[in-house]
Amino acid sequence: MTATLPAAPVRPAARTVRGHWIDDWRPEDREFWDRTGAPIARRNLIFSILSEHIGFSVWSLWSVLVLFLGPEYGIDPAGKFLLTAVPTLVGAGLRIPYSFAVARFGGRNWTVFSATLLLVPSVLAAFLIRPGVDYSTLLILAAVAGVGGGNFASSMTNINAFYPNRLKGWALGINAGGGNLGVAAVQLIGLFVLAVFGATHPGIVAGIYLPLIVVAAVCSAFYMDNLTQARSEKRAMRDATRDPHTWIMSLLYIGTFGSFIGFGFAFGQVLQVQFHTEFSTPVKAAYLTFLGPLLGSLIRPVGGLLADRLGGARVTFVNFIAMAVGASVVLLAAQQKSLPLYIVGFVALFVLSGVGNGSTYKMIPAIFRSKFPSDDLSARRLSNAVIGIAGAIGAFGGVLVNLAFRQSFLETKSADAAYIGFIAFYALCVLVTWVVYLRPGARTEGAV
């Protein structure tokens, strides 16, 4: 007689402890993922994108609002570039605490809070911007809008924990791309308001977002979850700051996301200053400002997919070469005063920055998975920390872009010096990617 062995106990699937807390999450277990994990992760991804999308729109409000600030406000182009740089700077600084708020409070809980917080800058902008307001008040309003920039880091950290390694490039790309679309969306809303109500009603742009913010917060409360295991990620920031890959990836992310958000904030102003004859009114500039951010956002998941298949470092390396070429085209077009070539070059930069956003973020979990092949917790803990740090420093690149334009216009009355600086920085990123991740003998398994 053959003895019958007792059946192995079936592990519970994504048990909920209290409310929306999940204490059993095993995305690398294919059976668990196919049976239970994928639907839960997908649901959290959808509503994370919704909240992050509106966060990006609020963060980018001032890229649109400056188009409403006509002569009656008494602000020169340099002052407007500063108004768009301030929310970028605040948002960059908030990304580090926002990324670790997920571990402290839970991804769902923090999403609800951070979405609700977006009401503050939206209400202020809706009611306080009018002729006669002093410039310092406008700077404060712009700074408060920076809270929208932090949502990206917490959203990416949260989604990184939900998905298995083999799908992180796709998931993070979709999440970030959907959020980045908020830049294009707010510019389309700005175009609508300019076309229908004129340039004298900037508050309408912010006011449109008030009910949308409430919807995002309520949906996050009802349909998102917290992962208990995320709370075990202690001292991750300290450990991440000691790893050289943290600073290397932060440098590369300045070149990709910093370019995307910096150009997104500055594009409309640059068009009005550099081609003032063709864009003599804000509505004429608004017809084009959304195009670059829209395409750059839509292409970002493609960058993640390419990195999943070809390797993040390879895609990033080729992409930075293409960005240097794109910036050279913009420089040539500006010198030749060719508007069609200028738009082609600038839109190409947006698209390439989107591809690079996806590929660089794919590199981060790949690098730490290769460093900790048998310790998924350590790999995820450090990946989340680096996502927060790189996201903050990358967003600071957007500040540098706006300050580069401001200084170039102040000193030379053109943006040529800024374009030359961008080309030099992209060349540096090409060199760093090659030396650290692609050069024979220096290859980091997984990143390439």
Side-chain angles (χ1 to χ4, degrees), residues 66-76 80 131-132 199 272 280 282:
V66 292
L67 299 178
F68 289 80
L69 304 181
E72 65 273 21
Y73 286 85
I75 304 173
D76 62 11
K80 292 181 180 180
Q272 283 198 291
S280 55

Side-chain angles (χ1 to χ4, degrees), residues 151-177:
N151 290 36
F152 172 82
S154 55
S155 179
M156 294 292 278
T157 299
N158 189 39
I159 294 305
N160 185 56
F162 272 97
Y163 275 83
N165 289 322
R166 67 184 182 278
L167 297 177
K168 285 186 188 294
W170 173 85
L172 293 176
I174 288 288
N175 188 57

Side-chain angles (χ1 to χ4, degrees), residues 7 10 16 32 94 137 163 279 288 314 322 326 338 340 367 373 397 438:
V10 178
T16 299
F32 170 86
L94 288 176
T137 299
Y163 275 83
F279 300 98
L288 282 176
R314 292 191 185 98
S338 171
I367 289 168
L438 292 176

Side-chain angles (χ1 to χ4, degrees), residues 147 192 195 203 280 448:
V147 298
F192 166 78
S280 55
V448 299

Side-chain angles (χ1 to χ4, degrees), residues 133-157:
V133 63
D134 60 274
Y135 186 69
S136 59
T137 299
L138 293 177
L139 281 175
I140 293 172
L141 297 184
V144 176
V147 298
N151 290 36
F152 172 82
S154 55
S155 179
M156 294 292 278
T157 299

Side-chain angles (χ1 to χ4, degrees), residues 11-182:
R11 293 186 64 183
R15 288 183 288 114
T16 299
V17 209
R18 57 189 180 282
H20 291 261
W21 284 94
I22 296 175
D23 71 343
D24 176 38
W25 190 252
R26 293 169 278 121
E28 301 300 336
D29 181 338
R30 293 296 291 263
E31 182 181 355
F32 170 86
W33 178 256
D34 293 339
R35 185 180 72 242
T36 302
I40 294 174
R42 191 180 307 116
R43 171 165 45 80
N44 278 270
L45 175 61
I46 290 170
F47 292 102
S48 174
I49 290 173
L50 174 62
S51 176
E52 183 193 351
H53 175 92
I54 295 176
F56 259 99
S57 292
V58 172
W59 191 26
S60 306
L61 265 176
W62 283 85
S63 69
V64 174
L65 294 179
V66 292
L67 299 178
F68 289 80
L69 304 181
E72 65 273 21
Y73 286 85
I75 304 173
D76 62 11
K80 292 181 180 180
F81 278 117
L82 187 58
L83 283 173
T84 56
V86 166
T88 315
L89 178 62
V90 174
L94 288 176
R95 284 188 164 194
I96 291 177
Y98 265 58
S99 64
F100 287 93
V102 171
R104 177 66 179 86
F105 301 104
R108 173 253 185 190
N109 294 350
W110 186 254
T111 302
V112 173
F113 171 78
S114 60
T116 305
L117 189 60
L118 298 174
L119 288 170
V120 176
S122 301
V123 169
L124 292 177
F127 294 102
L128 295 183
I129 302 176
R130 59 176 60 90
V133 63
D134 60 274
Y135 186 69
S136 59
T137 299
L138 293 177
L139 281 175
I140 293 172
L141 297 184
V144 176
V147 298
N151 290 36
F152 172 82
S154 55
S155 179
M156 294 292 278
T157 299
N158 189 39
I159 294 305
N160 185 56
F162 272 97
Y163 275 83
N165 289 322
R166 67 184 182 278
L167 297 177
K168 285 186 188 294
W170 173 85
L172 293 176
I174 288 288
N175 188 57
N180 291 170
L181 278 171

